[in-house]
Amino acid sequence: MNNHEIDYKLYGDDMQFVEVELDPQETVIAEAGSLMMMDDHIRMETIFGDGSKKQGTGFMGKLLGAGKRVITGESLFMTTFTNEGAGKKHVSFASPYPGKIIPMDLSVLNGKLICQKDAFLAAAKGVSVGIEFQRKIGTGFFGGEGFIMQKLEGDGMAFVHAGGTIHKRELKAGETLRVDTGCLVAMTGGIDYNIEFVGGIKTALFGGEGLFFATLRGPGTAWVQSLPFSRLASKVFAAAPERGGSKGEGSIADGLYNIFGGDRK
């Protein structure tokens, strides 16, 4: 194996955290800010990108590899946690909002997983965290969450986070599933996917749904979340008293306001 072999345990139900067990000199990588707690003799280090072999060598190679993460809205840097003690040590990472942490063994997923840009939580050192471009750039620029997704490659463990209830869907060859772009958490590399425009201008403007959805075509496995963070945040914001006015949920004024965007202050 090219990746470190790590053991783990999940705790909690709707606000989960994952405890990773590290043998001496084993390392796990994680997004900045995801640490919950760790044992003594674990060394933290901030690095460019993910530190994998696919990132490239030399300063410029590492900088360019890490720079790709900026496109997905992530930081240039990630954090590594290495056990420098004599025995087993533990480090824990918490989910950022209510939902589930999904363990992904890349060795049984043909070495590749495509996930939402904000779904990645942590992984064994050696897992490459890159970007997966939507092939049709025209729809991509207007596809919101569906345009650029993260690509996890390797043969180790990775952990992704999703909101609400998680549904795992197995797609047979040629079987098609249409998913709201925000509800798609992850999918295996064998799935053919595209971002499509919601037909009918009335549906797009007043139907209460997004302008785009993801079309997945099997064979492969897809993970879907019932409560994407963007949807949760919009509902919280809609209920905030400082908004004022009488724009009801799903109203024409609110729909047009959300489409064109603006400063609500």
Side-chain angles (χ1 to χ4, degrees):
M1 293 182 66
N2 296 318
N3 302 155
H4 288 200
E5 298 183 53
I6 58 174
D7 297 316
Y8 70 93
K9 185 175 181 180
L10 291 176
Y11 291 88
D13 186 20
D14 293 327
M15 286 295 292
Q16 291 185 319
F17 71 92
V18 57
E19 180 187 76
V20 176
E21 183 178 86
L22 299 176
D23 292 328
Q25 299 309 311
E26 278 188 341
T27 301
V28 63
I29 62 173
E31 289 287 3
S34 62
L35 174 67
M36 176 179 173
M37 60 183 174
M38 63 181 181
D39 293 341
D40 197 11
H41 301 298
I42 290 181
R43 176 173 57 88
M44 291 178 57
E45 182 181 4
T46 300
I47 62 171
F48 275 124
D50 53 35
S52 67
K53 293 180 180 179
K54 287 193 174 185
Q55 183 176 273
T57 58
F59 176 77
M60 287 305 298
K62 293 181 179 179
L63 182 60
L64 290 174
K68 294 178 182 179
R69 287 168 41 80
V70 176
I71 301 177
T72 67
E74 305 293 343
S75 169
L76 277 171
F77 304 96
M78 297 187 76
T79 307
T80 63
F81 301 83
T82 303
N83 179 8
E84 295 189 334
K88 295 179 182 294
K89 301 295 180 180
H90 299 86
V91 55
S92 299
F93 304 99
S95 55
Y97 53 90
K100 303 291 184 183
I101 295 174
I102 314 171
M104 301 288 193
D105 187 349
L106 297 180
S107 66
V108 300
L109 298 174
N110 295 321
K112 180 179 179 180
L113 182 75
I114 300 170
C115 62
Q116 280 280 16
K117 61 181 182 292
D118 58 352
F120 174 73
L121 186 65
K125 184 179 181 181
V127 171
S128 171
V129 184
I131 57 175
E132 176 81 2
F133 281 103
Q134 219 294 319
R135 286 168 298 199
K136 294 188 177 180
I137 301 299
T139 59
F141 276 113
F142 299 99
E145 296 158 299
F147 173 40
I148 299 175
M149 302 185 76
Q150 287 188 327
K151 176 174 59 177
L152 308 180
E153 293 181 295
D155 55 14
M157 289 297 305
F159 304 94
V160 299
H161 177 263
T165 299
I166 311 305
H167 178 64
K168 181 179 179 181
R169 179 71 178 268
E170 300 287 349
L171 298 178
K172 299 177 181 178
E175 185 179 1
T176 300
L177 179 68
R178 292 176 175 177
V179 185
D180 180 271
T181 54
C183 291
L184 176 61
V185 178
M187 57 188 168
T188 52
I191 288 183
D192 181 36
Y193 76 102
N194 195 9
I195 305 300
E196 297 185 4
F197 182 77
V198 176
I201 189 64
K202 291 182 180 179
T203 301
L205 292 179
F206 310 115
E209 302 299 330
L211 291 173
F212 295 85
F213 55 76
T215 300
L216 314 181
R217 184 169 290 104
T221 306
W223 289 263
V224 182
Q225 61 185 346
S226 65
L227 184 62
F229 180 73
S230 58
R231 187 174 298 177
L232 173 64
S234 67
K235 292 298 183 182
V236 172
F237 189 85
E242 58 268 25
R243 289 188 72 193
S246 59
K247 296 196 295 288
E249 181 181 347
S251 68
I252 294 177
D254 200 36
L256 293 175
Y257 190 88
N258 289 333
I259 289 174
F260 294 106
D263 189 359
R264 286 183 167 90
K265 294 181 180 179

